[in-house]
Amino acid sequence: MTAVADLIVTASVIRTADRAKPTVEAFAVLDGRILAIGSLADIERFRGRRTRMLEVGDAAVYPGFVDVHNHHALAGRTDLFELSLPPSLTLDEILDRVRRTAATLPDDAWIVGGAVPTTLLPQLADTASRLRLDEAAGGRPVVLVEDSRHNRWANTRALELAGITADSIPASGVTLLDAEDGTPTGVLLEAAGIPVQEAYDRSGGLTPEQHVAASRRGIELLHSFGITTFQDAGVSIEILQALADLDRAGELDAWVVSSLLINDEIFGFDPIGTPLIERGEEFRTAHHRPDFVKIFLDGVPPARTASFLEPYPADAAHGAHFHGETTMTFDELADWLRSVAARGLGAKVHCTGDGSARLVLDVTEQLRAEGVTTPIQIAHGQFLAEADIPRLQALDVSADISPFIWYPGVIPQALADVLGGRAEHSQPNRALLDSGALVAGGSDWPVSESPNTLEGLQGLVTRADPHGRTPGTLWPEQAITAEEALEVFTINAATAMGLAAETGSLTVGKSADFVVLERDAIAGPAAQIVHTAVVSTWFAGREVYSR
């Protein structure tokens, strides 16, 4: 007897991201899974009296988009509970927004938010700018993250609460001091900002209910961009608990893979490392999988905390032979990866310089020779030595790539300011694909302004700013095709995070996760991809977003 579908979807164009059957006319859904896929005639036989028909006509249906790298809860928290600043504001505009926010708050309330543009940090690194922030806040403590989310700008009261003075400088990271009076300016690079985060947490931070609300809001925003699956690139116990609580209440309408922090250069979460990893399984649910760890192996190039094979251009602070540093040695990284592999976990390793990427590949080569097969992702991988590109495929290491880095904009400009002409050769995506590497798309939202997958697709194809804000292209020879870009943000990303059996393509047996777009975005002019509206988003055969 032929099964009767709960839902049948028909469209002029249905792209499956399944190379065995790349386009079809219809598919049928039963109990949240794809029952059958093919021509209208093939699918009609699964139609019954109670079957819901979704006939979208000239609209297009794609698999639900998959984001291999974001920070959904941080984005939701900023949207609901913090001062949200677009990273294009001037110092005067930032101060004005702080002043308006302060006027609505009690005298001792923290003002937390961001993002401050990376290119503004040199202007902020003096006592005069910190005092202007003090005035705008009316004496309230303030901490604002900059757009890479690796660095912070804090005012005098926040520094006091964190115990940061000229005589008490954080042991980790870099605390920028005023060149004239020697006091902390409030610009805190990498882990130097963690004491301020900890001071805020001591003041109360978020309640468990607010953590749930932040995750829920982050996922709602992802749904509005057609995203049904994502990997959070660095979670706390509170985020893990929020995701598990949502799923156990039947409210987690997404596949989520969490990355448990081994070291923490920016967030200030506690616990991390082994104590966090040992608790991961407490939070496993049907749709939430704490299957990866996250390792920060270096920082970011604009702060000269990324590790490079060739030295940075000479400056007064670092001299002429400074390469940056990795947070771990070969043996330390190898020991951690062996340990997490023994637990059945994969590893997402943050590498923004080609030196840290090479270290990952060298360690992986050793582990593969030992028979260790654990999944490894190089996160960002924006700079790779040419000789290292074929090694990703050979060693089964996936490349997690993120927008705002592969086309002109604020971050590429910040890279150029510190690296010069070297910055013009970042994100070798064409070379990676041609070498056979698994290339997976992520937004790194809220480091990026939005998680818009369509923006990512267009940037991959054109290597130009999808919104036309910054002219030019960035290494256009590394452009990929629109069809390849769709795979990067669907089946490739799902494969990299261990979910290819569940989602990532419209294939019989997989979860019925799909997005309805107003038109076939990748079939038309590449410069118009980002201007395609998301009509609706569906997870397990249920509509979770409608325009």
Side-chain angles (χ1 to χ4, degrees), residues 2 15 63 94 115 126 145 164 203 210 216 231 295 301 324 339 344 404 422 424 490 505 515:
T2 301
R15 293 188 181 273
I94 291 169
D126 58 37
V145 297
I164 298 175
S203 74
Q210 287 175 318
R216 182 187 291 113
Q231 182 169 351
I295 297 173
S339 174
F404 287 105
R422 199 185 329 177
E424 297 175 8
T490 53
S505 64
V515 56

PDB file of all heavy atoms in Angstrom, residues 2 15 63 94 115 126 145 164 203 210 216 231 295 301 324 339 344 404 422 424 490 505 515:
ATOM      1  N   THR A   2       0.569   2.213  -0.861  1.00  0.00           N
ATOM      2  CA  THR A   2       1.344   3.444  -0.970  1.00  0.00           C
ATOM      3  C   THR A   2       1.073   4.343   0.223  1.00  0.00           C
ATOM      4  O   THR A   2      -0.081   4.571   0.596  1.00  0.00           O
ATOM      5  CB  THR A   2       0.983   4.189  -2.268  1.00  0.00           C
ATOM      6  OG1 THR A   2       1.253   3.332  -3.386  1.00  0.00           O
ATOM      7  CG2 THR A   2       1.794   5.464  -2.394  1.00  0.00           C
ATOM      8  N   ARG A  15      15.694  22.903  -6.214  1.00  0.00           N
ATOM      9  CA  ARG A  15      17.100  22.503  -6.226  1.00  0.00           C
ATOM     10  C   ARG A  15      17.354  21.645  -4.993  1.00  0.00           C
ATOM     11  O   ARG A  15      17.043  22.043  -3.869  1.00  0.00           O
ATOM     12  CB  ARG A  15      18.018  23.726  -6.236  1.00  0.00           C
ATOM     13  CG  ARG A  15      17.921  24.533  -7.525  1.00  0.00           C
ATOM     14  CD  ARG A  15      18.987  25.616  -7.585  1.00  0.00           C
ATOM     15  NE  ARG A  15      18.884  26.397  -8.815  1.00  0.00           N
ATOM     16  CZ  ARG A  15      19.464  26.075  -9.967  1.00  0.00           C
ATOM     17  NH1 ARG A  15      20.202  24.976 -10.056  1.00  0.00           N
ATOM     18  NH2 ARG A  15      19.302  26.834 -11.048  1.00  0.00           N
ATOM     19  N   PRO A  63      17.133  23.462  -0.412  1.00  0.00           N
ATOM     20  CA  PRO A  63      17.299  22.897   0.930  1.00  0.00           C
ATOM     21  C   PRO A  63      17.454  24.022   1.954  1.00  0.00           C
ATOM     22  O   PRO A  63      17.947  25.111   1.625  1.00  0.00           O
ATOM     23  CB  PRO A  63      18.605  22.093   0.828  1.00  0.00           C
ATOM     24  CG  PRO A  63      18.812  21.869  -0.635  1.00  0.00           C
ATOM     25  CD  PRO A  63      18.222  23.056  -1.330  1.00  0.00           C
ATOM     26  N   ILE A  94      28.804  56.537  18.120  1.00  0.00           N
ATOM     27  CA  ILE A  94      28.785  55.521  19.179  1.00  0.00           C
ATOM     28  C   ILE A  94      28.510  56.177  20.524  1.00  0.00           C
ATOM     29  O   ILE A  94      27.658  55.718  21.308  1.00  0.00           O
ATOM     30  CB  ILE A  94      30.118  54.755  19.209  1.00  0.00           C
ATOM     31  CG1 ILE A  94      30.264  53.880  17.961  1.00  0.00           C
ATOM     32  CG2 ILE A  94      30.219  53.897  20.475  1.00  0.00           C
ATOM     33  CD1 ILE A  94      31.647  53.293  17.781  1.00  0.00           C
ATOM     34  N   ALA A 115      28.677  46.486  17.611  1.00  0.00           N
ATOM     35  CA  ALA A 115      30.128  46.329  17.517  1.00  0.00           C
ATOM     36  C   ALA A 115      30.797  47.647  17.126  1.00  0.00           C
ATOM     37  O   ALA A 115      30.267  48.405  16.322  1.00  0.00           O
ATOM     38  CB  ALA A 115      30.457  45.270  16.480  1.00  0.00           C
ATOM     39  N   ASP A 126      43.389  55.872  23.794  1.00  0.00           N
ATOM     40  CA  ASP A 126      44.001  56.927  24.594  1.00  0.00           C
ATOM     41  C   ASP A 126      43.056  57.311  25.721  1.00  0.00           C
ATOM     42  O   ASP A 126      41.865  56.982  25.708  1.00  0.00           O
ATOM     43  CB  ASP A 126      44.384  58.151  23.737  1.00  0.00           C
ATOM     44  CG  ASP A 126      43.204  58.759  22.994  1.00  0.00           C
ATOM     45  OD1 ASP A 126      42.082  58.800  23.553  1.00  0.00           O
ATOM     46  OD2 ASP A 126      43.403  59.200  21.858  1.00  0.00           O
ATOM     47  N   VAL A 145      32.171  45.427  22.429  1.00  0.00           N
ATOM     48  CA  VAL A 145      33.056  44.581  21.632  1.00  0.00           C
ATOM     49  C   VAL A 145      33.288  45.223  20.275  1.00  0.00           C
ATOM     50  O   VAL A 145      32.459  46.005  19.802  1.00  0.00           O
ATOM     51  CB  VAL A 145      32.483  43.156  21.455  1.00  0.00           C
ATOM     52  CG1 VAL A 145      32.363  42.449  22.789  1.00  0.00           C
ATOM     53  CG2 VAL A 145      31.141  43.194  20.738  1.00  0.00           C
ATOM     54  N   ILE A 164      41.392  46.280  36.676  1.00  0.00           N
ATOM     55  CA  ILE A 164      42.450  46.593  35.710  1.00  0.00           C
ATOM     56  C   ILE A 164      42.948  48.011  35.959  1.00  0.00           C
ATOM     57  O   ILE A 164      42.192  48.979  35.834  1.00  0.00           O
ATOM     58  CB  ILE A 164      41.934  46.441  34.264  1.00  0.00           C
ATOM     59  CG1 ILE A 164      41.507  44.996  34.000  1.00  0.00           C
ATOM     60  CG2 ILE A 164      43.007  46.881  33.272  1.00  0.00           C
ATOM     61  CD1 ILE A 164      40.876  44.784  32.630  1.00  0.00           C
ATOM     62  N   SER A 203      27.901  40.964  38.245  1.00  0.00           N
ATOM     63  CA  SER A 203      26.811  41.905  38.530  1.00  0.00           C
ATOM     64  C   SER A 203      25.440  41.279  38.327  1.00  0.00           C
ATOM     65  O   SER A 203      24.426  41.880  38.654  1.00  0.00           O
ATOM     66  CB  SER A 203      26.935  43.142  37.637  1.00  0.00           C
ATOM     67  OG  SER A 203      26.549  42.852  36.295  1.00  0.00           O
ATOM     68  N   GLN A 210      16.537  34.305  30.420  1.00  0.00           N
ATOM     69  CA  GLN A 210      17.046  35.196  29.379  1.00  0.00           C
ATOM     70  C   GLN A 210      17.960  34.453  28.413  1.00  0.00           C
ATOM     71  O   GLN A 210      17.992  34.758  27.222  1.00  0.00           O
ATOM     72  CB  GLN A 210      17.770  36.378  30.017  1.00  0.00           C
ATOM     73  CG  GLN A 210      16.827  37.386  30.668  1.00  0.00           C
ATOM     74  CD  GLN A 210      17.567  38.477  31.407  1.00  0.00           C
ATOM     75  OE1 GLN A 210      18.548  38.205  32.109  1.00  0.00           O
ATOM     76  NE2 GLN A 210      17.128  39.714  31.255  1.00  0.00           N
ATOM     77  N   ARG A 216      16.389  31.387  21.585  1.00  0.00           N
ATOM     78  CA  ARG A 216      15.167  31.371  20.775  1.00  0.00           C
ATOM     79  C   ARG A 216      15.172  32.509  19.765  1.00  0.00           C
ATOM     80  O   ARG A 216      14.846  32.322  18.589  1.00  0.00           O
ATOM     81  CB  ARG A 216      13.939  31.491  21.691  1.00  0.00           C
ATOM     82  CG  ARG A 216      12.615  31.434  20.917  1.00  0.00           C
ATOM     83  CD  ARG A 216      11.429  31.725  21.803  1.00  0.00           C
ATOM     84  NE  ARG A 216      11.186  30.655  22.773  1.00  0.00           N
ATOM     85  CZ  ARG A 216      11.340  30.788  24.090  1.00  0.00           C
ATOM     86  NH1 ARG A 216      11.762  31.949  24.599  1.00  0.00           N
ATOM     87  NH2 ARG A 216      11.081  29.775  24.891  1.00  0.00           N
ATOM     88  N   GLN A 231      26.009  25.418  13.284  1.00  0.00           N
ATOM     89  CA  GLN A 231      26.973  25.049  14.306  1.00  0.00           C
ATOM     90  C   GLN A 231      27.350  26.306  15.072  1.00  0.00           C
ATOM     91  O   GLN A 231      27.855  27.265  14.489  1.00  0.00           O
ATOM     92  CB  GLN A 231      28.225  24.416  13.687  1.00  0.00           C
ATOM     93  CG  GLN A 231      29.247  23.955  14.727  1.00  0.00           C
ATOM     94  CD  GLN A 231      30.348  23.086  14.130  1.00  0.00           C
ATOM     95  OE1 GLN A 231      30.275  22.691  12.974  1.00  0.00           O
ATOM     96  NE2 GLN A 231      31.362  22.781  14.918  1.00  0.00           N
ATOM     97  N   ILE A 295      38.768  25.234  19.566  1.00  0.00           N
ATOM     98  CA  ILE A 295      40.105  25.630  20.001  1.00  0.00           C
ATOM     99  C   ILE A 295      40.464  26.949  19.321  1.00  0.00           C
ATOM    100  O   ILE A 295      40.397  27.056  18.089  1.00  0.00           O
ATOM    101  CB  ILE A 295      41.149  24.560  19.644  1.00  0.00           C
ATOM    102  CG1 ILE A 295      40.854  23.254  20.391  1.00  0.00           C
ATOM    103  CG2 ILE A 295      42.560  25.056  19.963  1.00  0.00           C
ATOM    104  CD1 ILE A 295      41.743  22.092  19.977  1.00  0.00           C
ATOM    105  N   PRO A 301      44.415  39.075  12.705  1.00  0.00           N
ATOM    106  CA  PRO A 301      45.537  39.858  12.177  1.00  0.00           C
ATOM    107  C   PRO A 301      45.548  41.336  12.572  1.00  0.00           C
ATOM    108  O   PRO A 301      46.631  41.859  12.875  1.00  0.00           O
ATOM    109  CB  PRO A 301      45.388  39.673  10.654  1.00  0.00           C
ATOM    110  CG  PRO A 301      44.701  38.354  10.508  1.00  0.00           C
ATOM    111  CD  PRO A 301      43.732  38.296  11.660  1.00  0.00           C
ATOM    112  N   GLY A 324      53.582  36.687  15.113  1.00  0.00           N
ATOM    113  CA  GLY A 324      52.424  36.299  15.897  1.00  0.00           C
ATOM    114  C   GLY A 324      52.684  34.950  16.547  1.00  0.00           C
ATOM    115  O   GLY A 324      53.699  34.287  16.268  1.00  0.00           O
ATOM    116  N   SER A 339      42.644  13.555  22.828  1.00  0.00           N
ATOM    117  CA  SER A 339      41.706  13.439  23.945  1.00  0.00           C
ATOM    118  C   SER A 339      40.261  13.570  23.476  1.00  0.00           C
ATOM    119  O   SER A 339      39.399  12.769  23.861  1.00  0.00           O
ATOM    120  CB  SER A 339      42.019  14.512  24.997  1.00  0.00           C
ATOM    121  OG  SER A 339      41.043  14.516  26.018  1.00  0.00           O
ATOM    122  N   GLY A 344      34.942  10.749  20.943  1.00  0.00           N
ATOM    123  CA  GLY A 344      34.074  10.753  19.779  1.00  0.00           C
ATOM    124  C   GLY A 344      33.684  12.131  19.306  1.00  0.00           C
ATOM    125  O   GLY A 344      32.678  12.289  18.590  1.00  0.00           O
ATOM    126  N   PHE A 404      32.332  38.592   4.600  1.00  0.00           N
ATOM    127  CA  PHE A 404      32.985  39.810   5.053  1.00  0.00           C
ATOM    128  C   PHE A 404      34.500  39.652   5.046  1.00  0.00           C
ATOM    129  O   PHE A 404      35.216  40.523   5.506  1.00  0.00           O
ATOM    130  CB  PHE A 404      32.515  40.244   6.449  1.00  0.00           C
ATOM    131  CG  PHE A 404      31.120  40.805   6.443  1.00  0.00           C
ATOM    132  CD1 PHE A 404      30.069  40.071   6.918  1.00  0.00           C
ATOM    133  CD2 PHE A 404      30.874  42.059   5.927  1.00  0.00           C
ATOM    134  CE1 PHE A 404      28.784  40.573   6.896  1.00  0.00           C
ATOM    135  CE2 PHE A 404      29.595  42.579   5.901  1.00  0.00           C
ATOM    136  CZ  PHE A 404      28.542  41.831   6.381  1.00  0.00           C
ATOM    137  N   ARG A 422      49.746  41.514   1.168  1.00  0.00           N
ATOM    138  CA  ARG A 422      49.435  40.124   1.487  1.00  0.00           C
ATOM    139  C   ARG A 422      47.931  39.915   1.678  1.00  0.00           C
ATOM    140  O   ARG A 422      47.403  38.838   1.416  1.00  0.00           O
ATOM    141  CB  ARG A 422      50.180  39.727   2.756  1.00  0.00           C
ATOM    142  CG  ARG A 422      50.331  38.242   2.951  1.00  0.00           C
ATOM    143  CD  ARG A 422      50.965  37.876   4.288  1.00  0.00           C
ATOM    144  NE  ARG A 422      51.917  38.832   4.811  1.00  0.00           N
ATOM    145  CZ  ARG A 422      52.517  38.705   5.994  1.00  0.00           C
ATOM    146  NH1 ARG A 422      52.266  37.656   6.748  1.00  0.00           N
ATOM    147  NH2 ARG A 422      53.369  39.614   6.415  1.00  0.00           N
ATOM    148  N   GLU A 424      45.555  40.956  -0.010  1.00  0.00           N
ATOM    149  CA  GLU A 424      44.810  40.807  -1.268  1.00  0.00           C
ATOM    150  C   GLU A 424      44.638  39.348  -1.652  1.00  0.00           C
ATOM    151  O   GLU A 424      43.839  39.036  -2.541  1.00  0.00           O
ATOM    152  CB  GLU A 424      45.538  41.553  -2.392  1.00  0.00           C
ATOM    153  CG  GLU A 424      45.634  43.056  -2.162  1.00  0.00           C
ATOM    154  CD  GLU A 424      46.470  43.743  -3.232  1.00  0.00           C
ATOM    155  OE1 GLU A 424      46.831  43.063  -4.217  1.00  0.00           O
ATOM    156  OE2 GLU A 424      46.766  44.938  -3.078  1.00  0.00           O
ATOM    157  N   THR A 490      24.947  24.270   1.972  1.00  0.00           N
ATOM    158  CA  THR A 490      23.933  23.244   2.239  1.00  0.00           C
ATOM    159  C   THR A 490      24.630  21.927   2.573  1.00  0.00           C
ATOM    160  O   THR A 490      25.036  21.705   3.693  1.00  0.00           O
ATOM    161  CB  THR A 490      22.949  23.109   1.058  1.00  0.00           C
ATOM    162  OG1 THR A 490      23.695  22.896  -0.172  1.00  0.00           O
ATOM    163  CG2 THR A 490      22.089  24.353   0.911  1.00  0.00           C
ATOM    164  N   SER A 505      20.466  18.378   2.115  1.00  0.00           N
ATOM    165  CA  SER A 505      19.984  18.187   0.747  1.00  0.00           C
ATOM    166  C   SER A 505      18.557  17.666   0.816  1.00  0.00           C
ATOM    167  O   SER A 505      18.133  17.129   1.848  1.00  0.00           O
ATOM    168  CB  SER A 505      20.871  17.210  -0.034  1.00  0.00           C
ATOM    169  OG  SER A 505      20.821  15.910   0.543  1.00  0.00           O
ATOM    170  N   VAL A 515      13.745  25.945   2.199  1.00  0.00           N
ATOM    171  CA  VAL A 515      13.428  27.365   2.156  1.00  0.00           C
ATOM    172  C   VAL A 515      12.776  27.667   0.821  1.00  0.00           C
ATOM    173  O   VAL A 515      13.190  27.138  -0.229  1.00  0.00           O
ATOM    174  CB  VAL A 515      14.693  28.227   2.373  1.00  0.00           C
ATOM    175  CG1 VAL A 515      15.790  27.890   1.367  1.00  0.00           C
ATOM    176  CG2 VAL A 515      14.357  29.711   2.318  1.00  0.00           C
TER     177      VAL A 515
END
